Amino acid sequence: MLEYSVSIKYMLAGYTVFLAVPAVYLISLVIRVRNLKRDLQTMKEFQKKNPK
């Protein structure tokens, strides 16, 4: 059986990974939404400058 201090380290490492993965995913989503908004604004400006 593992010592108490070693098992605590494994538990903390597990919680760190468990929280880090969703955090990275949420940061990625925020960046993607920001880029989509910027692209949409660029397309609207381009459409105003170049109507059909």
Side-chain angles (χ1 to χ4, degrees):
M1 187 154 175
L2 294 175
E3 292 181 27
Y4 181 74
S5 63
V6 173
S7 62
I8 292 293
K9 289 178 184 177
Y10 281 123
M11 184 187 74
L12 290 176
Y15 276 119
T16 301
V17 171
F18 181 74
L19 295 174
V21 170
V24 169
Y25 179 69
L26 287 175
I27 291 169
S28 170
L29 285 178
V30 168
I31 291 170
R32 289 179 187 195
V33 167
R34 187 179 61 200
N35 288 341
L36 277 172
K37 287 180 180 179
R38 187 178 61 214
D39 289 348
L40 183 60
Q41 185 64 31
T42 303
M43 290 175 70
K44 286 180 180 178
E45 290 173 7
F46 180 78
Q47 191 175 20
K48 285 181 182 178
K49 291 180 182 178
N50 301 312
K52 287 187 176 180

